Amino acid sequence: MTQTAHIALYDTLADSEIGHLLVELRTGRFTGTPWNVVTVAETAEPITTMGGMRIVPDMVLADLAPESSDLLVLAGAEMWDTGGGQAWTDTARRFLDARVPVAAICGATAGLARAGLLDDRDHTSAALEYVTMQPGYGGRDRYVDARAVVGGDVVTAGPDSPVQFARATMSRLGLASEETLQAYEAVFHAADASAFPVLMRAA
């Protein structure tokens, strides 16, 4: 049975932060395991991403149950820095309670921090100062200064690390070997063409 990733949609969603992950999940080109990619929004109305893409959601949030999902992906957006996103952090809490992984990048990590969902998990963000300014955050001792971090069922990354975010999420999902993941990061982040044959063997 094909596994499903649910992608949270909201206006000003930062397309660039999750593009690498979505491509690898949907195609399975280096993992051999294509996933269903389903978009979810609070309403059925189209949203406009930060890059200007107009997207009509596949489903509404009220119909999303963790039991029907294998991953929730939360990208950055302007709303996170204005204290918004509670509907999504409430959803993330339900997913984590059901032991379904949540992958959050950039501003979405601030939302998880405000909700207290990072307090007991290793995590990262844009910077330690960024999450410590979030009311409700008590996870300073679990902050890791790294591009992407897997903390149990939560994957986090800063805005400058979309490739590492994809790698860490694929690692958490068990979709590829460490050799393939290292090659993936080398090719798509470090532009190291010498690692490309490893990816081709995995394709």
Side-chain angles (χ1 to χ4, degrees):
M1 182 175 179
T2 303
Q3 293 179 290
T4 299
H6 286 93
I7 316 304
L9 292 186
Y10 25 73
D11 282 325
T12 74
L13 176 147
D15 329 41
S16 59
E17 294 173 352
I18 60 173
H20 286 279
L21 175 60
L22 299 190
V23 167
E24 305 316 331
L25 288 176
R26 184 176 181 277
T27 67
R29 59 182 177 168
F30 304 128
T31 67
T33 309
W35 281 43
N36 293 322
V37 173
V38 178
T39 56
V40 188
E42 291 186 68
T43 74
E45 295 300 312
I47 68 100
T48 303
T49 70
M50 195 174 289
M53 297 285 288
R54 189 170 183 268
I55 303 175
V56 178
D58 295 316
M59 63 181 295
V60 296
L61 184 56
D63 294 335
L64 176 61
E67 295 76 16
S68 66
S69 184
D70 300 289
L71 176 69
L72 176 66
V73 178
L74 302 172
E78 292 175 1
M79 70 170 185
W80 297 115
D81 288 334
T82 58
Q86 184 176 345
W88 295 105
T89 56
D90 288 348
T91 300
R93 188 182 304 279
R94 291 193 294 116
F95 268 60
L96 295 173
D97 286 346
R99 303 300 301 273
V100 180
V102 174
I105 186 168
C106 190
T109 64
L112 296 187
R114 285 194 298 273
L117 295 175
L118 302 181
D119 292 356
D120 301 316
R121 298 176 171 93
D122 289 347
H123 61 278
T124 193
S125 184
L128 176 59
E129 295 75 14
Y130 179 58
V131 283
T132 54
M133 66 186 289
Q134 305 302 325
Y137 174 68
R140 186 185 185 99
D141 291 343
R142 301 298 294 268
Y143 186 87
V144 181
D145 186 11
R147 285 186 170 272
V149 171
V150 178
D153 290 326
V154 175
V155 179
T156 50
D160 60 343
S161 303
V163 172
Q164 291 82 0
F165 181 61
R167 173 186 171 165
T169 303
M170 288 189 286
S171 175
R172 168 59 188 81
L173 299 171
L175 295 180
S177 68
E178 185 60 25
E179 180 186 32
T180 298
L181 293 173
Q182 286 179 355
Y184 175 80
E185 184 173 352
V187 169
F188 289 97
H189 176 72
D192 180 2
S194 68
F196 197 69
V198 176
L199 285 183
M200 290 299 93
R201 288 198 298 271

